[in-house]
Amino acid sequence: MARDVQFTFDCADPAALSAFWAEALGYQVQAPPPGFDSWDQALEAWGVPPERRNDASAAVDPEGERPRLFFQRVPEGKQAKNRVHLDVRAAPGLEGEERMAALEAEAERLVTHGAKRLERHEPAPPLAFGHIVMADPEGNEFCLD
């Protein structure tokens, strides 16, 4: 039986991190439920106090094909290197300098949205095609692949 999957991020600022990943992946921040013009309006109607309104957020694929990303506020900061990370496929099918140029362009774009560049790994044929290690605004590592 097929199952849907959702990736969950523990974080300090769910709204900001969901906006970053929506930008990085061509997703959108999940719209409020029907009948509400904004999440703030919905949360107000449900009696959620203002200090709890950024406890969670989500980013979704506008086509509904890729996994939902869920962001939940936790009290502790990031402690160590991620054991699981996302690879953002920014240069599929490209090789060599053309591939690395595409990865560099995407790295520069994401830096303008709060990402941090960590390392560049050069192509080393036959198995390593080159990638760039990045961190999102809260320090979660991901690769531009």
Side-chain angles (χ1 to χ4, degrees):
M1 174 190 320
R3 303 222 192 278
D4 283 338
V5 64
Q6 166 178 284
F7 295 101
T8 299
F9 291 70
D10 289 350
C11 59
D13 187 347
L17 210 53
S18 66
F20 170 82
W21 281 103
E23 179 65 37
L25 299 177
Y27 274 42
Q28 60 192 30
V29 173
Q30 186 168 337
F36 297 101
D37 294 328
S38 69
W39 275 106
D40 198 51
Q41 185 185 59
L43 297 170
E44 177 74 27
W46 298 336
V48 176
E51 66 273 10
R52 301 288 313 271
R53 293 186 187 168
N54 190 22
D55 280 2
S57 186
V60 295
D61 175 12
E63 304 301 321
E65 296 175 1
R66 297 179 290 167
R68 179 178 188 250
L69 304 179
F70 182 72
F71 303 86
Q72 61 187 8
R73 186 185 338 217
V74 297
E76 71 279 356
K78 185 173 177 298
Q79 302 294 316
K81 183 179 184 298
N82 302 358
R83 293 291 305 264
V84 174
H85 68 267
L86 300 181
D87 283 349
V88 178
R89 305 296 313 272
L94 300 179
E95 295 181 14
E97 289 303 316
E98 185 181 16
R99 173 186 175 76
M100 297 311 291
L103 296 179
E104 288 291 350
E106 184 64 1
E108 288 178 26
R109 186 182 80 81
L110 294 178
V111 165
T112 68
H113 292 284
K116 183 178 178 184
R117 180 193 178 98
L118 300 178
E119 301 173 1
R120 175 177 161 139
H121 294 263
E122 297 299 326
L127 297 177
F129 297 99
H131 65 281
I132 298 174
V133 181
M134 306 283 292
D136 73 13
E138 291 201 14
N140 300 301
E141 296 90 0
F142 66 97
C143 292
L144 295 178
D145 178 19

